[in-house]
Amino acid sequence: MFRILLSIFFILIGLSLFAQKSYTLTGKVLDSQEEGSLPGATILLINKSDTIQKTGTITNELGSFNIKVKPGEYDFQVSFIGYKDIKKSITVDKTALDLGQFKLIENSEFLQEINITETLPPTKIKGDTTVFNPDAFKVNPDATAGELLAKMPGFYEVDGKLVVEGQEVAEILVDGKKFFGNNMNKALATIPNDIIKNIEVYEYKSDEEKFTGLKRNEEDKKTLNIVTSKKSKRLVFGDVAAGFGKDNRYGFDGNINSFSDNNSITLTAKSRDVNAPLKLSNRNFGNRSIDGNDIQDDSFGINYVNSKNKNDIEFSYEYGNQEYENKSSSVRNYTSDALLGQIQNSTNHSTNDNNDHRINLRVSLNSNPKHRLMLNTNISTTNRESNSNSISDTKINGNPLNSNNNHNSSENKNYNLYQTVNYSKKLGKQGRSLNLNAGFNYSNNESDGKQLSETLNESNEVSQSINRISDSKRKNTGVNAGISFSEPIGRKGFASLGYRFKFNEQKSDKYGYNFNESENSYSDLDELTTNNFENSSIRNAGRFSYNLHGKTHGFSLGADFEMTTLKNEESFPNQTDFNKDFFSFKPYVRYSLNLKNQKRINLNYMSRTTTPNIRDLQEVVDLSNPLYISTGNSELEQSNSHTLMALYSASNMKKGSHLSIHAMATSTNNTVGRRTIVAAKDTTINGLYFLPAGGQFSEPVNLDGQYSIGTSISYSFPLKKLKSKLNINTRGRFSHNPTFVNDKKAYTDSWNLNHGMTLSSNISEKIDFTFTSSSNYQKSNNTSNTGSEYLSQTTSLNMYWNFYKDLVFRTNASNNYQNNFSTNDVDNFWHLNLGLSTKVFKSKRGELSFTAYDILSKDDQRSHLVSDLYTADYYTNKLNKFYILTFSYKLRDGKGKGRKHRRGHGMYPSYGNYNMMM
């Protein structure tokens, strides 16, 4: 009996010990230098009373850890590849324990002895900022910032806009400063990959938000900051290239940059007489051929930024002189009922000479933390000369309808000035602020023109002849001022009230003179193209908004109230005037939900009221093309639209993947469409305007029933076995648009489906390729006709291959398939560009390259357009069988030698997989 009781006693003791409660240890692991989180760090605890008992975990994508242990004394250790371990003794009592932050110090000696076969995740979280590590992505040594971004997870381009994590990039900074104002394309093309330390992505904030700390109701966008690897107080870098090619064509392109902590300066210059790049690139190229029209393009630019005591001065100047010609042809098939059966073939030839100067000056005074003053000045001048000639031939059901030969020439001078002043003040309480702003704009335009036109009817007889010159002057002046006040409500919310006044005045004098044969001069005033008018607009706008922003939830609710008065006075050819008042109410609601693991949901509703512009209201006739005459409509009303948007995005920093799903629906009442009259025979519109058979006369009118629905899905992720990144993007859109032809209302339903795929390599610096495939399907039906259907598919390969020592092979190859089902017109063709280069000099900074473009000799390229009334195929002249020899050189100061690979290569996560080098 005693043995049985003893056995039960020890069993109960054992069960009580086994059931002993565990308690949670939490903490976070950071990089000591950059204070960014370190996902994947190893956490190990060893029980001092029994060293066999070990437990551990790794940090999540935020660098945090959470582990449960029983009470006792432990040896605690934090370790991470390339960093010195942290060891300490801890005691766990009967309570949860927050160990705080552990800042690991980099172990430089250890890193020199390690050859890491795989890398840690290519991104890390630093507060609200996602930091991308360029060392995790393998690009060729000549890559630019734009080519580097193509390798990174979550980055892609849609309709020419850079998108990251499902949101549009609103600005690109270099070391936290603007670059050429906000010229994002220039920054991506100018900054070389080898001087980039890291890429930072964070929420875009306006200047007012940065000062007040209060988030506005604007649509969420991103800021991208390129951090350079300055090894000393100043980093100097640049690239220059010069080439000479077939038919004595040449090109020069260069930039030099000097960056320091307090100031930076960039100089750019370009001169060329051919559209071909000096050497092949892997960014935004390869899926199209090169424009074969003649060109002379010269430009120069300077960008200077100075920062001292939190005060910034940014100045940029750009000069451009461009002479170019454009040769093209088109085939237009009309699908609307009144135009059904009409086919128009046209050829166009134009020459242009543009001379531009652009100056931007931005001053920001922030030395006093309670006050901020900002001044922004933009000045631009443009001188332009143009000549164009268009020849068209229109048939209906195969029979001649009309033909036209139209020549226009003009000289245009334009001057623009825009000045803004913004003052902000913090008013004691945290978050309470006052903002005052004012602006002034002025523009002056002067132009002289000449038109020679002859229209023939179906019998090949002259139905209209024009020989006219014109002279016009237009001035525009505007002033605006505004005030806003923000008041915090609670810890996470604030309310804002604002008022804005805007006044704009435009004066226009235009005179047309027809040629008088008897006097052999342009002395007959043409009242149809002569007009003198003054118009003005006065807008008073108020705004109320309430914003609530927490770590998880964000909410914005508000409305804009606007009263707009438009006035127009015409003194010639008719003495008329009109005054119109428009009132608009624009409510909006926004909600955002930040989930765990970098997942986010945004829901938006907005209502917009669009006031007709002065040009649409003025009943001034445009006769620049005798076959397409247009005028304004003073009876236009404002349009109202309602929009719903939803966005879901999810990022996995460990896997390097990103998913975004976007949906939008819009409905518009009183949309400004076009009322079109098609002449069945030669006729006169309103007793004034001659319109040949097949010609069109249009004016803006209000139409109901417009709506559209669209969605897009983008998913990017690494393919570990291929050592590449795959980005898949699918977009679909349906639109329902009203048309009004020959006083008959109809609706055009359009479907557009696009599916794209981009595979970017991450294999080696010696081989760098981008494979893309894009398919587009378009279909439209009009309730009064059969509509149109079109399919296009483009597949392209861009590749850089350092195949032997200093020899590099480059290629851009693409296949284009186009099928216009409406006309049974099928086109399938290839473009192929090849390049061979070699590195020169001991530093390998020089390169001599030979490039051959369009060696398969495709003379033109087709693009397709679908409109409510017609479908059109446009053919543009292309450069083929062109070759160029180019020398390029990288400028480096020898101190900023570029990025060194410190933690291995490749974008695939691994923890502790390394080899020691003896």
Side-chain angles (χ1 to χ4, degrees), residues 16-55:
S16 65
L17 291 175
F18 180 78
Q20 190 174 15
K21 188 176 181 181
S22 297
Y23 296 91
T24 302
L25 298 182
T26 58
K28 191 169 186 178
V29 181
L30 305 174
D31 180 305
S32 63
Q33 183 178 1
E34 300 179 359
E35 295 192 357
S37 60
L38 292 177
T42 300
I43 309 299
L44 180 64
L45 288 98
I46 302 174
N47 194 317
K48 288 186 176 183
S49 61
D50 185 359
T51 57
I52 296 177
Q53 294 184 18
K54 298 179 181 180
T55 185

Side-chain angles (χ1 to χ4, degrees), residues 64-107:
S64 301
F65 64 86
N66 183 310
I67 185 171
K68 290 186 176 182
V69 297
K70 299 173 183 177
E73 294 184 352
Y74 293 87
D75 287 325
F76 178 84
Q77 178 178 310
V78 181
S79 60
F80 193 66
I81 297 175
Y83 290 83
K84 296 179 180 180
D85 294 348
I86 290 180
K87 297 179 181 180
K88 62 183 297 186
S89 296
I90 64 171
T91 300
V92 180
D93 294 323
K94 296 180 180 181
T95 182
L97 181 61
D98 184 358
L99 299 176
Q101 296 181 347
F102 296 90
K103 297 182 179 181
L104 299 186
I105 299 174
E106 196 174 85
N107 189 344

Side-chain angles (χ1 to χ4, degrees), residues 285-303:
F285 193 76
N287 60 352
R288 66 187 188 277
S289 57
I290 303 167
D291 193 316
N293 294 306
D294 291 335
I295 187 173
Q296 179 62 53
D297 184 13
D298 304 306
S299 65
F300 169 79
I302 180 172
N303 184 74

Side-chain angles (χ1 to χ4, degrees), residues 614-666:
I614 287 291
R615 289 183 178 274
D616 284 338
L617 289 168
Q618 288 173 342
E619 297 181 354
V620 177
V621 180
D622 181 2
L623 297 172
S624 58
N625 188 331
L627 298 181
Y628 302 97
I629 302 175
S630 64
T631 187
N633 180 4
S634 60
E635 301 299 321
L636 284 178
E637 299 294 335
Q638 59 189 8
S639 60
N640 304 290
S641 65
H642 303 272
T643 301
L644 285 172
M645 292 187 294
L647 170 68
Y648 170 79
S649 65
S651 299
N652 189 316
M653 296 304 171
K654 290 183 179 179
K655 294 182 178 180
S657 63
H658 177 79
L659 170 69
S660 66
I661 302 174
H662 183 265
M664 182 175 70
T666 300

Side-chain angles (χ1 to χ4, degrees), residues 687-904:
L688 296 172
Y689 319 119
F690 174 78
L691 192 65
Q696 299 176 29
F697 175 84
S698 69
E699 64 177 351
V701 292
N702 291 115
L703 299 172
D704 290 329
Q706 182 188 62
Y707 63 87
S708 65
I709 302 173
T711 185
S712 65
I713 302 174
S714 177
Y715 181 49
S716 63
F717 59 96
L719 296 176
K720 186 173 181 180
K721 292 184 177 180
L722 296 179
K723 294 185 177 180
S724 302
K725 184 192 86 169
L726 180 64
N727 187 86
I728 300 173
N729 189 289
T730 300
R731 291 178 289 161
R733 187 175 186 271
F734 170 78
S735 62
H736 182 76
N737 297 316
T739 61
F740 200 46
V741 182
N742 283 1
D743 295 327
K744 180 180 179 180
K745 189 175 182 180
Y747 293 93
T748 298
D749 292 334
S750 300
W751 293 264
N752 189 301
L753 180 63
N754 180 276
H755 179 71
M757 179 190 73
T758 301
L759 182 68
S760 302
S761 69
N762 196 38
I763 300 173
S764 167
E765 294 87 351
K766 291 183 177 294
I767 183 166
D768 183 5
F769 67 83
T770 302
F771 175 82
T772 63
S773 178
S774 177
S775 302
N776 184 264
Y777 174 76
Q778 299 176 354
K779 184 178 181 179
S780 66
N781 287 325
N782 192 284
T783 52
S784 61
N785 61 68
T786 57
S788 65
E789 190 174 8
Y790 182 82
L791 174 68
S792 65
Q793 205 280 331
T794 301
T795 304
S796 64
L797 172 68
N798 302 330
M799 187 174 71
Y800 169 103
W801 181 23
N802 183 193
F803 63 93
Y804 178 75
K805 292 185 178 180
D806 296 330
L807 294 176
V808 176
F809 171 76
R810 291 182 175 93
T811 184
N812 301 141
S814 67
N815 174 259
N816 296 265
Y817 172 82
Q818 299 172 337
N819 189 341
N820 189 339
F821 297 100
S822 306
T823 60
N824 295 318
D825 187 7
V826 178
D827 202 0
N828 190 3
F829 55 91
W830 286 85
H831 290 295
L832 180 61
N833 308 317
L834 299 175
L836 183 65
S837 64
T838 180
K839 300 293 183 180
V840 295
F841 307 131
K842 185 177 180 180
S843 64
K844 309 299 182 185
R845 294 179 182 174
E847 184 175 19
L848 190 65
S849 60
F850 177 83
T851 308
Y853 291 97
D854 249 346
I855 63 176
L856 299 182
S857 188
K858 175 65 178 176
D859 292 330
D860 53 37
Q861 180 167 303
R862 181 174 68 169
S863 59
H864 187 73
L865 173 68
V866 177
S867 77
D868 295 336
L869 301 181
Y870 61 85
T871 66
D873 289 303
Y874 295 93
Y875 299 86
T876 53
N877 187 30
K878 296 303 172 184
L879 184 70
N880 60 80
K881 291 186 177 180
F882 176 76
Y883 51 83
I884 188 169
L885 182 66
T886 301
F887 172 75
S888 59
Y889 187 78
K890 296 180 181 180
L891 302 172
R892 303 293 186 270
D893 66 353
K895 297 176 183 178
K897 295 182 179 180
R899 208 176 60 246
K900 292 186 177 180
H901 300 289
R902 300 179 300 167
R903 301 174 194 166

Side-chain angles (χ1 to χ4, degrees), residues 395-558:
K395 295 182 179 181
I396 182 168
N397 298 322
N399 300 314
L401 186 61
N402 66 58
S403 62
N404 175 261
N405 190 332
N406 189 30
H407 178 82
N408 285 279
S409 61
S410 66
E411 295 184 6
N412 185 289
K413 295 181 179 180
N414 194 56
Y415 172 80
N416 294 282
L417 169 65
Y418 182 65
Q419 174 71 58
T420 62
V421 179
N422 186 292
Y423 172 74
S424 299
K425 178 179 175 60
K426 296 180 180 179
L427 302 175
K429 186 178 180 180
Q430 180 68 30
R432 181 183 295 165
S433 63
L434 178 69
N435 181 270
L436 303 172
N437 58 77
F440 170 78
N441 65 278
Y442 172 80
S443 66
N444 184 62
N445 181 278
E446 298 180 1
S447 65
D448 298 314
K450 182 177 182 180
Q451 181 181 16
L452 299 172
S453 176
E454 186 175 79
T455 303
L456 306 180
N457 59 23
E458 68 276 10
S459 302
N460 207 33
E461 298 173 341
V462 177
S463 59
Q464 184 187 43
S465 181
I466 297 175
N467 185 357
R468 180 171 53 230
I469 63 173
S470 63
D471 174 26
S472 69
K473 295 181 179 179
R474 187 173 66 250
K475 292 183 179 181
N476 189 83
T477 305
V479 294
N480 62 82
I483 181 173
S484 63
F485 173 76
S486 298
E487 175 70 20
I489 300 177
R491 292 183 301 172
K492 300 179 181 180
F494 73 94
S496 179
L497 287 171
Y499 167 76
R500 189 165 188 83
F501 169 81
K502 185 176 182 179
F503 170 78
N504 194 80
E505 182 181 57
Q506 183 183 94
K507 297 181 180 181
S508 176
D509 296 316
K510 183 178 180 181
Y511 299 92
Y513 298 94
N514 292 317
F515 185 75
N516 187 314
E517 294 186 357
S518 61
E519 298 181 7
N520 196 31
S521 64
Y522 293 93
S523 56
D524 293 344
L525 183 67
D526 185 2
E527 294 188 2
L528 294 180
T529 59
T530 297
N531 53 74
N532 306 122
F533 63 82
E534 295 183 12
N535 62 59
S536 64
S537 65
I538 300 176
R539 177 172 298 177
N540 291 277
R543 162 175 287 190
F544 165 78
S545 66
Y546 172 74
N547 299 267
L548 177 67
H549 292 281
K551 291 184 178 180
T552 303
H553 302 276
F555 177 76
S556 297
L557 172 68

